[in-house]
């Protein structure tokens, strides 16, 4: 990565996926704002340049202060987080717990930082100040790291019972179930025995914990199709199509497969005309809008 990318990703804590997700909306918003301001100032004719200079003199200092506060609010928590590593290495567990709690409240992104929460839980254990479920979470992380997903699921379930609002635990629990389902689907014990029933059960449980989870829906769609449940596979495919309406950059390959599974269901139902239309959608995204208009 370039130095600037490192500042954004490592310094500010953002990922490239984050910018890819929102990039189009931000670019349109900035372009629209610039065009609108140009129109306003050009409409002032001879006074346009003087008006621009006057407005810049008024607003630039405040913009500078706002940017400085924004940068400070993102950099300072990361500096403190690095300092907590030093305190933890020195065995100063109580300050680590105290500062971590304050920092987690003031800087919400750290609530999704696995290493931050692991360090806080371990320091709480050594200082006899551990939160309910924190040790279970660390045990779950260790089991997850060893790919013992059944044991990890048990630990994460216990943690979630004590911390029902912890979204990171919910995510790890869902992923543990997904990994179990994939292992069953791939036939972990025998290459000829795809235990699709158990896989489907794991994927459905994952969706109960994390509704509309795109990977769980995709795996469920494939497993149901492999099990001959074409109507139910198409149902999962339709959920995928609905969820992909919201991101600004839809996954075209994923949508193509979802439409293909819809086509299979229609074909097995004997509706050849509809199956052909849905098959066209799987290979030509121009047909998506046509189908939506026809359904309306």
């Amino acid at each position: 990565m370039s130095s600037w990318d490192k500042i954004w990703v490592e310094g500010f804590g953002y990922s490239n996926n984050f910018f890819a997700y929102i990039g189009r909306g931000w670019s349109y918003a900035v372009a629209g704002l610039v065009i609108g301001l140009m129109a306003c100032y050009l409409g002032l004719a001879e006074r346009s340049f003087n008006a621009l200079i006057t407005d810049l003199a008024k607003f630039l200092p405040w913009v500078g202060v706002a940017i400085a506060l924004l940068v400070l609010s993102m950099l300072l928590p990361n500096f403190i987080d690095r300092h907590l590593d030093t305190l933890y290495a020195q065995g100063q567990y109580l300050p680590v717990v105290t500062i971590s709690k304050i920092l987690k409240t003031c800087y919400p992104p750290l609530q999704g930082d696995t290493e931050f929460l692991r360090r806080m839980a371990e320091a709480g254990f050594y200082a006899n100040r551990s939160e309910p479920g924190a040790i279970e979470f660390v045990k779950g992380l260790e089991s997850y790291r060893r790919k013992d997903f059944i044991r990890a699921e048990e630990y994460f379930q216990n943690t979630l019972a004590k911390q029902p609002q912890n979204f990171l635990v919910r995510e790890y629990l869902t992923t543990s179930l997904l990994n179990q389902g994939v292992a069953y689907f791939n036939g972990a014990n025998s290459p000829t025995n795809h235990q699709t029933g158990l896989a489907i059960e794991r994927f459905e449980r994952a969706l109960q914990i994390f509704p509309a989870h795109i990977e769980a829906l995709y795996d469920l769609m494939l497993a149901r199709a492999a099990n001959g449940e074409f109507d139910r596979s198409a149902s999962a495919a339709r959920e995928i199509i609905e969820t992909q309406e919201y991101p600004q950059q839809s996954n075209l390959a994923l949508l193509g497969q979802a439409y293909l599974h819809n086509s299979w269901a229609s074909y097995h139902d004997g509706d050849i005309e509809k199956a052909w239309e849905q098959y066209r959608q799987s290979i030509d995204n121009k047909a998506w809008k046509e189908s939506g208009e026809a359904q309306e």
Side-chain angles (χ1 to χ4, degrees):
M1 294 187 295
S2 68
S3 299
W4 182 243
D5 287 335
K6 283 185 177 293
I7 291 175
W8 280 112
V9 176
E10 297 180 4
F12 293 160
Y14 290 113
S15 70
N16 292 328
N17 292 334
F18 174 82
F19 289 108
Y21 188 82
I22 68 168
R24 186 184 302 175
W26 277 108
S27 60
Y28 287 164
V30 171
L33 180 62
V34 170
I35 292 172
L37 288 174
M38 288 176 61
C40 290
Y41 284 107
L42 288 174
L44 297 175
E46 300 86 12
R47 297 184 296 110
S48 58
F49 182 75
N50 292 333
L52 176 62
I53 296 300
T54 303
D55 290 342
L56 287 176
K58 289 180 180 178
F59 291 108
L60 277 182
W62 294 106
V63 171
V65 171
I67 293 175
L69 290 174
L70 181 62
V71 172
L72 184 64
S73 68
M74 290 189 289
L75 287 179
L76 186 59
N78 287 280
F79 291 145
I80 297 174
D81 183 44
R82 295 296 181 268
H83 180 61
L84 288 175
D85 283 335
T86 304
L87 294 178
Y88 182 81
Q90 293 173 346
Q92 301 184 43
Y93 302 120
L94 188 57
V96 170
V97 174
T98 304
I99 297 173
S100 295
K101 289 181 179 179
I102 297 173
L103 191 60
K104 187 174 68 169
T105 303
C106 298
Y107 192 64
L110 288 175
Q111 296 177 14
D113 189 318
T114 302
E115 293 307 316
F116 174 85
L117 296 176
R118 180 200 293 272
R119 183 187 59 212
M120 180 178 171
E122 291 176 353
F125 174 78
Y126 294 128
N128 294 321
R129 297 288 182 86
S130 60
E131 296 180 352
I135 302 303
E136 295 283 324
F137 177 60
V138 173
K139 291 179 179 179
L141 290 176
E142 184 60 26
S143 298
Y144 188 91
R145 186 186 64 81
R146 298 197 311 265
K147 298 185 178 181
D148 185 355
F149 300 115
I150 294 177
R151 181 64 61 85
E153 176 199 349
E154 179 183 344
Y155 286 129
F156 291 139
Q157 286 279 19
N158 294 337
T159 307
L160 192 63
K162 298 173 183 177
Q163 301 178 8
Q165 303 302 320
N166 193 323
F167 65 90
L168 188 63
V169 175
R170 192 178 299 274
E171 179 182 340
Y172 269 106
L173 176 57
T174 302
T175 311
S176 298
L177 289 168
L178 286 177
N179 278 288
Q180 292 179 46
V182 170
Y184 284 128
F185 184 70
N186 290 334
N189 299 321
S190 170
T192 60
N193 181 22
H194 293 254
Q195 304 175 60
T196 54
L198 290 172
I200 289 172
E201 186 267 339
R202 293 300 192 280
F203 298 147
E204 289 177 338
R205 284 176 57 194
L207 285 169
Q208 290 175 358
I209 296 167
F210 200 134
H213 191 288
I214 196 66
E215 185 177 345
L217 285 172
Y218 176 73
D219 292 340
L220 181 62
M221 179 181 71
L222 294 181
R224 282 176 171 172
N227 207 35
E229 304 174 17
F230 294 103
D231 286 341
R232 302 186 73 184
S233 174
S235 175
R238 285 191 289 272
E239 288 188 57
I240 290 174
I241 293 169
E242 290 176 2
T243 58
Q244 288 295 295
E245 291 179 0
Y246 299 103
Q248 296 176 16
Q249 296 181 357
S250 301
N251 189 321
L252 301 185
L254 179 63
L255 282 170
Q257 292 187 60
Y259 280 114
L260 182 60
H261 280 258
N262 273 339
S263 176
W264 286 351
S266 299
Y267 178 80
H268 282 272
D269 288 341
D271 192 342
I272 305 300
E273 184 176 347
K274 186 176 181 181
W276 171 246
E277 178 188 355
Q278 290 169 334
Y279 174 72
R280 283 184 57 233
Q281 292 174 317
S282 72
I283 60 176
D284 182 9
N285 59 5
K286 295 178 182 177
W288 298 350
K289 185 177 179 180
E290 296 173 8
S291 174
E293 292 174 348
Q295 292 177 2
E296 290 177 1

